[in-house]
Amino acid sequence: MSEGLSDYRKKRKFEKTPEPEGGEGAEEGPFFVVQKHKASSLHYDFRIQIEGVLKSWAVPKGPSMKPSVKRLAIETEDHPTEYGDFEGVIPEGEYGAGVVQIWDRGTFENLKTEDGEEVPIEESYEQGQVEVRLEGEKLRGGFALVKTGGSDDDKWLLIKMRDDEADPDQEPVDDMPKSAVSDRTIEEIAEDEESD
Ligand code: MN
């Protein structure tokens, strides 16, 4: 099991939360997931698979397709790759209590180059300069994650890169509120779990 998941596990009681403990690893190739999380405050958890875990950022306003917009992204603990399949309700009293929706999911490609050479994504992550091309249901094209502070700082910015998919008029979090896997809104996910 990855040591990167110790923070994740410390925060959760797996006998109480339906979230995965992790450790099996995902079968598929590198993927990203954006989970809409209605907890004490609503945010979008942006996660990309790097070195066997999901590197994670909480984006209060969610991703934008407008290249002029910089969205605050606060780095959070690594999550297991199995978390990419989690949609449901975290019970009251547990860490992150609230509703989780798989808002978008898909594969990605590393875009970061230096002097014409690809920079491995582990390196660009360490340098605080990640550039990926997303192939999701909603998010497509290049996105940059840029660390703004020093090494102890968890603040990054999520920015749509200028390309054919960029759109100055599109805010997908407003226009496309349904789950990428179940077609449910976050309210419908909460209702479905209550009626179980
Ligand atoms: Mn969250």
Side-chain angles (χ1 to χ4, degrees):
M1 290 201 253
S2 166
E3 285 185 9
L5 297 177
S6 58
D7 273 3
Y8 172 84
R9 295 203 177 102
K10 259 184 260 163
K11 291 176 186 215
R12 293 169 175 81
K13 297 187 213 75
F14 295 103
E15 66 279 13
K16 297 220 170 122
T17 178
E19 297 164 291
E21 192 166 351
E24 303 302 317
E27 298 287 315
E28 55 193 316
F31 71 96
F32 79 96
V33 64
V34 182
Q35 282 157 319
K36 186 174 181 178
H37 186 184
K38 196 177 176 192
S40 48
S41 62
L42 179 72
H43 58 274
Y44 292 78
D45 288 301
F46 187 92
R47 312 187 198 279
I48 53 176
Q49 188 180 352
I50 298 178
E51 289 193 306
V53 294
L54 291 173
K55 293 289 173 193
S56 298
W57 293 263
V59 184
K61 292 185 177 172
S64 175
M65 296 303 282
K66 302 176 181 176
S68 59
V69 165
K70 295 177 172 68
R71 290 278 154 86
L72 175 67
I74 300 156
E75 190 169 9
T76 59
E77 77 273 20
D78 295 349
H79 279 49
T81 49
E82 293 92 330
Y83 208 90
D85 292 323
F86 178 68
E87 183 171 271
V89 173
I90 302 170
E92 199 103 1
E94 299 309 305
Y95 183 76
V99 190
V100 176
Q101 177 202 53
I102 299 175
W103 181 77
D104 198 14
R105 193 163 73 173
T107 56
F108 74 87
E109 209 182 297
N110 181 15
L111 286 182
K112 186 75 180 167
T113 58
E114 212 170 78
D115 304 324
E117 300 275 316
E118 182 175 335
V119 180
I121 195 153
E122 302 79 25
E123 266 175 50
S124 53
Y125 167 76
E126 289 302 330
Q127 292 162 2
Q129 292 274 352
V130 174
E131 291 177 9
V132 284
R133 180 180 172 79
L134 304 180
E135 295 287 346
E137 310 261 326
K138 296 165 183 161
L139 301 181
R140 304 186 77 83
F143 282 80
L145 273 157
V146 182
K147 194 166 186 173
T148 58
S151 54
D152 301 341
D153 201 329
D154 54 5
K155 287 191 192 72
W156 297 57
L157 294 170
L158 176 65
I159 309 159
K160 178 74 193 77
M161 293 165 72
R162 291 179 194 278
D163 55 20
D164 287 350
E165 285 86 0
D167 186 342
D169 299 318
Q170 210 200 332
E171 285 295 359
V173 296
D174 297 333
D175 304 339
M176 294 180 264
K178 290 188 173 180
S179 165
V181 296
S182 70
D183 211 37
R184 296 178 295 175
T185 62
I186 203 152
E187 291 78 17
E188 286 166 343
I189 293 166
E191 281 166 26
D192 287 354
E193 300 269 334
E194 270 168 27
S195 57
D196 280 351

